[in-house]
């Protein structure tokens, strides 16, 4: 069996250091950790994660939408969160629990920067409003946010 050369060990060490840096910063560019929610995530994903002690840039991305869809809303009701920056419309900031509402019309995005203040699992609601015939229908999906 051949022994690895010192150059191979150096390459492995460099890869390990870069991997640790990327995982600690969330991305090579640093900044807030991105959590993207769209219509597909609402329908198919059951768990999303927000990191305690980090700024989490939550994005409701409604740039791609199904026929008849007229709005996508994320509601984080009674979550232990601090809003960094502007508070989204129709949101209520409290201590220790806040309700955050992010709504995006078709073709738009809505964003907020959040920092969890406690750990635990919290249920959020993803609401998709769809026109059917002469009326509208609300499709509500529960998502569990893991704050850790």
């Amino acid at each position: 069996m051949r022994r690895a050369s010192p150059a191979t060990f150096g390459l492995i060490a460099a890869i390990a250091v870069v991997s640790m840096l990327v995982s600690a910063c969330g991305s090579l560019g640093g900044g807030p950790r991105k959590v993207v929610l769209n219509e597909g995530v609402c329908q198919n994903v059951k768990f999303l994660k927000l990191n305690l002690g980090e700024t989490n840039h939550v994005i409701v991305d409604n740039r791609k939408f199904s026929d008849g869809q007229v709005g996508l809303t994320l509601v984080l009701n009674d979550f232990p969160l601090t809003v960094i920056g502007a508070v989204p419309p129709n949101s209520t900031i409290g201590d220790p629990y806040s309700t955050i509402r992010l709504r995006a019309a078709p073709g738009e995005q809505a964003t907020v920067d959040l920092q969890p203040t406690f750990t635990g699992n919290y249920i959020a609601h993803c609401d998709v409003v769809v026109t059917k015939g002469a009326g509208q229908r609300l499709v509500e999906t529960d998502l569990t946010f893991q704050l850790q």
Side-chain angles (χ1 to χ4, degrees), residues 24-44:
C25 296
S27 68
L28 284 176
R33 180 179 173 277
K34 288 185 182 179
V35 179
V36 179
L37 183 109
N38 56 34
E39 194 173 348
V41 170
C42 286
Q43 295 170 358
N44 300 309

Side-chain angles (χ1 to χ4, degrees), residues 45-64:
V45 174
K46 298 300 174 202
F47 294 96
L48 291 172
K49 183 175 135 184
L50 298 178
N51 291 336
L52 188 70
E54 287 184 32
T55 299
N56 298 268
H57 187 65
V58 178
I59 304 166
V60 173
D61 185 353
N62 202 17
R63 291 177 297 172
K64 293 182 182 176

Side-chain angles (χ1 to χ4, degrees), residues 68-124:
Q69 193 248 74
V70 294
L72 177 62
T73 303
L74 174 65
V75 180
L76 307 172
N77 194 34
D78 291 331
F79 273 54
L81 298 168
T82 299
V83 175
I84 307 301
V87 176
N90 301 314
S91 296
T92 306
I93 305 306
D95 184 18
Y97 299 103
S98 298
T99 297
I100 308 301
R101 296 179 193 281
L102 280 180
R103 184 183 188 290
E108 296 179 357
Q109 288 184 327
T111 65
V112 66
D113 288 337
L114 302 172
Q115 285 186 350
T117 55
F118 300 119
T119 60
N121 293 335
Y122 298 84
I123 304 298

Side-chain angles (χ1 to χ4, degrees), residues 1-12:
M1 185 167 189
R2 286 181 39 181
R3 291 186 56 156
S5 70
T8 302
F9 280 119
L11 179 61
I12 291 171

Side-chain angles (χ1 to χ4, degrees), residues 117-136:
T117 55
F118 300 119
T119 60
N121 293 335
Y122 298 84
I123 304 298
H125 303 288
C126 182
D127 301 335
V128 179
V129 179
V130 181
T131 56
K132 290 286 185 182
Q136 291 185 341

